[in-house]
Amino acid sequence: MAAATPAQARVELRRLPRAYLVGAALLPLILLTVLGLSLATRGTPAGAQVGGQAPAFALSDLDGRPVRLSDLRGRPVIVNFWASWCGPCVREFPVLRKALSDHAADGLAVVGIVFHDRSENARDFMTQMQAAWPAAMDPNDDVAQRYGIIGPPESFFVDRNGNVVGHQIGELTARDLSAQLVTLLGKE
């Protein structure tokens, strides 16, 4: 059977009941609306909003040692969600490493939370990137869900009192991190 010409296709469409045509035209719009509303209302949970308390967590690092946000109370902390397969994470690790070195006297701490990755890959990545901060596994995504993580990289800046004072979705450039650190550390 030969392919229908455009004119024949229009005739065939006209034979369909009007309800089918209207449904076919509206279905994509309805799906896009539902998707947009679900993304808009998803938001970040109240505990992870700037100005609120950072959600507590207790995880294990790649060597099985405990990593608890509460252990870092009194220090400014960057909670960084990352993965070895994440290109922007590769670019931001040196920026985090430099900030940690530059602000050691301020007590700055970085905690990496591995997002949807295998521990072997995460360990290799940490070694390759010469990262000296703890990398914690979040095997059931409990912490990622409490922080409302969309995908890596995503970072939260937690002040000495445990309050979220900044949030960065996407790669931290040196400029972004510098601006966040002004707020976190209270100095230029």
Side-chain angles (χ1 to χ4, degrees):
M1 179 176 230
T5 66
Q8 291 170 328
R10 278 193 297 273
V11 170
E12 292 297 320
L13 283 176
R14 288 186 187 138
R15 290 185 187 165
L16 290 173
R18 181 168 291 225
Y20 287 140
L21 296 174
V22 171
L26 290 178
L27 184 62
L29 294 174
I30 292 169
L31 291 174
L32 284 173
T33 301
V34 168
L35 176 64
L37 286 174
S38 70
L39 288 175
T41 59
R42 175 178 177 236
T44 304
Q49 289 185 358
V50 172
Q53 278 289 122
F57 57 82
L59 299 169
S60 294
D61 73 6
L62 296 171
D63 295 319
R65 291 184 299 260
V67 176
R68 292 180 290 269
L69 184 59
S70 61
D71 291 345
L72 298 169
R73 183 61 67 108
R75 295 177 64 186
V77 180
I78 301 171
V79 178
N80 176 255
F81 290 83
W82 64 275
S84 66
W85 46 262
C86 164
C89 298
V90 172
R91 293 187 296 273
E92 79 176 9
F93 260 56
V95 174
L96 287 168
R97 191 175 60 239
K98 182 173 180 347
L100 193 58
S101 172
D102 290 351
H103 296 283
D106 298 314
L108 181 64
V110 174
V111 175
I113 299 181
V114 182
F115 184 81
H116 294 189
D117 207 345
R118 295 171 13 133
S119 60
E120 301 83 22
N121 295 344
R123 184 184 312 281
D124 291 346
F125 185 82
M126 291 289 287
T127 301
Q128 178 185 358
M129 299 307 296
Q130 300 172 357
W133 55 86
M137 297 302 295
D138 186 16
N140 298 318
D141 288 341
D142 293 336
V143 176
Q145 288 175 12
R146 277 187 268 143
Y147 276 79
I149 299 303
I150 296 166
E154 197 163 340
S155 299
F156 290 83
F157 299 84
V158 181
D159 71 8
R160 298 172 193 279
N161 298 315
N163 297 311
V164 177
V165 296
H167 178 204
Q168 173 87 21
I169 298 173
E171 179 181 347
L172 273 171
T173 63
R175 174 185 261 166
D176 296 330
L177 185 55
S178 179
Q180 293 283 6
L181 288 174
V182 167
T183 303
L184 180 61
L185 301 173
K187 62 182 184 180
E188 299 264 341

